[in-house]
Amino acid sequence: MNRIGLIALLGITLHLPLFGQTLTPEQLQADFTRFRTALAEVHPEMYRYTPKATFDSLFTATEARLNRPMSQQEFYVTMVPLLVALRDGHIKWIVAGRDEHYPFATDKLFPLKLYFLGQKAWVVGNYGADTVPAGAEIRSINGQSIAAIIEKLLPMMTFADGNRIGGKYEDLNQNFSGFYATFIGAPDAFTVVYKTGDEEKTVIVSPVAEVTIKDYVAKKKPVAQKPFRLSFANPQTAVMTIERFWSDKTDPDFKAFLKESFRAIKQNGVQKLVLDLRSNEGGEESWGIRLASYLTDKPFRYYDHISVRQKKKYSFPVWTSTLYKKFRWLAIRKRGDGYVFTLQRGLRQQKPNRDAYRGKVYVLINGASFSVTTELAAHLHANRKQRAGEVVFVGQETGGGYNLDVSGLFAITQLPNSKIDLGIGMFGFNMANSTESPHADRGVIPDQLIEPTITDILNGYDRTLDYVLRISQPEKSALSRTDTK
């Protein structure tokens, strides 16, 4: 499931938010118990990346800290390390009535849009009236070096499966102001030291409100394009862009799009296909499986098994799919020491589509290639030795894990006193033929690593796509592309 869809689901549990009130130790302990119970009864792969003994120690240490009155924000922050320990990028921890990235101090936010790479950050825009030049390197904020700020924020961010950090950097690029306010502070002013060329300057900038940031983002949003589209860079090279694996009523039919596109690819004798999956956060599992059937020449299995935590009814107040609750007795089976969900197309052997493409494929990925998108990328990577045409991955490591994606249906509970919504994925999608991954805790690692520079970002230059088009057509450094969809 994509993150946007889950946030919409969380909206159904909203109550009046709790702001400016203090929670007693008794209230904190009650919410902690609900939190721990929910994870234990719902999360299908709780100990995949963090051993149970380590988790138990974390729970004990966290519970001991809840011995004094706390604000809602203090409790929120105190519990985050437990969520991070799951190494599950789908987990949701959202203050009722608030945007997930701006839960607190929504009128005292950092006023600059930044781009992060490694231990550095650069200005790419100004949200407020105060201005810092685009391209300036930020050296420090309120006396803390940017490297120290990054090192403080990354361990508090959850958008990553396993020990990935690429998704976290994507989150920083989009929502740094919210993370700073939540985990570092929301001051009345920000003292910013920045560098342009060889000159270092210090300025004091005023904070902005959440609404100002969202207005800026809306105005800067690129002109809308169809979320899935095909173009031809040249007679032998096609570029297929899939921005998401879900659609709304205004979008083209995905099934029809694939049918028409691969028929056109076949008719045109395409020898190289560029599959652009960058910043695709996922969606419908069946869409990834359908696309996989167009990129293989042999029957395949997509999922090895789908783990679930338990078959019985949950012991705490929870919202989840009515259909799931009705049919879980038929769909869930005992397997070893656990349980598996059995009613999923991807568990059965799949056949190649008759118009399947068998030539060379370049798959473009980055840290925001997540969920269903990482599943597809992992499948293509794991099976590429059995495929006639070569499959090459270009860009940055995926945000999702190579072997596992915890998502599908969600169980959502609201902690009774702090009014924080906890959303937990109920299904552990374990990929078939995943032995090709050399790292159990990583994503799909590209064959050619390409990271956009600040100059690329400011100039709107797509270094990754240009690289692929150049190596697929060496005699030209830049190729024109004509959309056909």
Side-chain angles (χ1 to χ4, degrees):
M1 176 179 284
N2 66 307
R3 293 200 295 167
I4 295 173
L6 176 55
I7 294 168
L9 283 177
L10 283 166
I12 69 170
T13 68
L14 299 183
H15 293 80
L16 291 175
L18 171 77
F19 301 131
Q21 299 183 36
T22 299
L23 297 163
T24 67
E26 292 75 21
Q27 290 175 317
L28 296 171
Q29 292 291 339
D31 281 14
F32 173 85
T33 299
R34 168 78 66 83
F35 178 98
R36 185 170 187 174
T37 299
L39 287 184
E41 293 188 16
V42 178
H43 203 286
E45 300 281 350
M46 187 170 173
Y47 307 118
R48 170 64 69 98
Y49 300 113
T50 301
K52 185 178 185 303
T54 303
F55 244 122
D56 289 343
S57 295
L58 284 171
F59 275 122
T60 299
T62 302
E63 186 176 20
R65 295 177 61 189
L66 305 178
N67 62 352
R68 62 175 180 81
M70 286 186 177
S71 68
Q72 184 189 42
Q73 182 173 359
E74 287 178 299
F75 177 68
Y76 177 101
V77 172
T78 298
M79 300 296 284
V80 165
L82 288 167
L83 297 168
V84 173
L86 289 170
R87 304 289 191 262
D88 172 7
H90 280 92
I91 198 74
K92 285 301 169 187
W93 183 236
I94 301 179
V95 175
R98 289 289 177 90
D99 183 291
E100 68 165 330
H101 293 112
Y102 301 96
F104 307 105
T106 57
D107 58 346
K108 291 185 177 182
L109 299 169
F110 187 70
L112 305 176
K113 181 172 176 57
L114 304 181
Y115 173 65
F116 293 83
L117 186 61
Q119 295 294 300
K120 295 184 177 182
W122 296 265
V123 176
V124 294
N126 292 262
Y127 298 130
D130 299 318
T131 59
V132 175
E137 181 188 346
I138 300 297
R139 305 304 295 271
S140 68
I141 301 172
N142 286 352
Q144 278 192 301
S145 70
I146 201 69
I149 291 171
I150 293 171
E151 289 175 2
K152 185 169 185 176
L153 291 181
L154 288 182
M156 303 299 284
M157 298 170 66
T158 61
F159 186 40
D161 287 347
N163 291 311
R164 290 288 301 108
I165 62 170
K168 296 185 179 186
Y169 271 92
E170 294 289 344
D171 244 3
L172 274 182
N173 290 337
Q174 300 301 320
N175 305 294
F176 171 75
S177 297
F179 288 119
Y180 188 98
T182 299
F183 297 109
I184 295 179
D188 294 325
F190 296 89
T191 300
V192 177
V193 177
Y194 68 91
K195 183 179 180 181
T196 55
D198 294 327
E199 187 177 8
E200 193 169 272
K201 294 184 178 181
T202 301
V203 295
I204 298 176
V205 294
S206 302
V208 296
E210 176 187 348
V211 65
T212 303
I213 294 177
K214 291 185 174 179
D215 285 346
Y216 174 93
V217 172
K219 291 176 182 178
K220 293 290 185 179
K221 193 174 181 179
V223 177
Q225 299 184 75
K226 293 178 181 179
F228 11 96
R229 51 192 183 271
L230 178 72
S231 62
F232 290 90
N234 59 66
Q236 295 184 341
T237 305
V239 180
M240 179 176 286
T241 302
I242 309 292
E243 293 184 354
R244 46 185 163 88
F245 284 113
W246 58 274
S247 64
D248 58 32
K249 295 180 180 179
T250 64
D251 292 332
D253 180 79
F254 186 68
K255 182 178 179 180
F257 164 77
L258 292 182
K259 182 178 180 180
E260 295 168 10
S261 295
F262 280 96
R263 186 166 295 173
I265 288 170
K266 189 174 185 178
Q267 291 172 348
N268 283 275
V270 168
Q271 297 180 15
K272 299 180 180 68
L273 172 62
V274 180
L275 180 60
D276 191 348
L277 301 177
R278 291 172 297 172
S279 299
N280 181 334
E281 292 187 4
E284 300 287 342
E285 290 87 7
S286 61
W287 286 29
I289 299 168
R290 185 176 298 278
L291 179 51
S293 73
Y294 280 95
L295 296 169
T296 185
D297 49 10
K298 295 179 178 64
F300 64 91
R301 289 188 65 227
Y302 201 74
Y303 299 125
D304 178 78
H305 66 279
I306 300 173
S307 59
V308 294
R309 185 62 176 172
Q310 66 182 41
K311 188 173 184 176
K312 64 183 180 181
K313 182 180 178 181
Y314 299 130
S315 67
F316 58 95
V318 64
W319 180 94
T320 190
S321 165
T322 301
L323 193 63
Y324 172 80
K325 288 187 286 187
K326 185 176 181 180
F327 291 103
R328 69 179 184 272
W329 299 107
L330 295 174
I332 296 176
R333 296 284 183 269
K334 183 75 174 176
R335 174 172 166 167
D337 295 331
Y339 295 89
V340 293
F341 185 81
T342 60
L343 300 182
Q344 223 287 347
R345 170 187 172 185
L347 294 169
R348 304 189 300 269
Q349 188 175 68
Q350 307 295 311
K351 295 180 180 180
N353 189 279
R354 65 180 181 180
D355 288 325
Y357 171 75
R358 294 170 171 79
K360 188 169 186 175
V361 182
Y362 294 95
V363 185
L364 310 189
I365 52 177
N366 66 4
S369 301
F370 187 63
S371 190
V372 172
T373 307
T374 298
E375 288 183 358
L376 174 63
H379 167 79
L380 295 175
H381 188 279
N383 291 277
R384 61 180 176 175
K385 291 181 180 179
Q386 288 75 47
R387 192 176 180 278
E390 187 180 5
V391 180
V392 180
F393 291 83
V394 182
Q396 298 158 283
E397 185 177 352
T398 59
Y402 192 109
N403 299 304
L404 173 70
D405 167 31
V406 175
S407 60
L409 298 177
F410 278 74
I412 303 168
T413 188
Q414 185 173 88
L415 304 192
N417 300 298
S418 60
K419 305 304 180 189
I420 301 176
D421 294 327
L422 175 64
I424 308 170
M426 298 165 63
F427 293 167
F429 293 94
N430 287 261
M431 302 304 295
N433 304 316
S434 60
T435 55
E436 292 297 321
S437 173
H439 307 287
D441 61 346
R442 298 286 295 274
V444 179
I445 300 173
D447 301 298
Q448 179 62 52
L449 174 65
I450 298 179
E451 297 180 312
T453 67
I454 180 60
T455 303
D456 296 341
I457 300 298
L458 294 176
N459 293 333
Y461 171 56
D462 192 338
R463 179 179 298 274
T464 305
L465 181 59
D466 186 67
Y467 167 82
V468 170
L469 294 182
R470 282 190 289 108
I471 63 174
S472 65
Q473 189 77 10
E475 68 272 16
K476 294 183 179 181
S477 61
L479 297 170
S480 61
R481 298 166 60 198
T482 304
D483 285 336
T484 61
K485 295 286 179 183

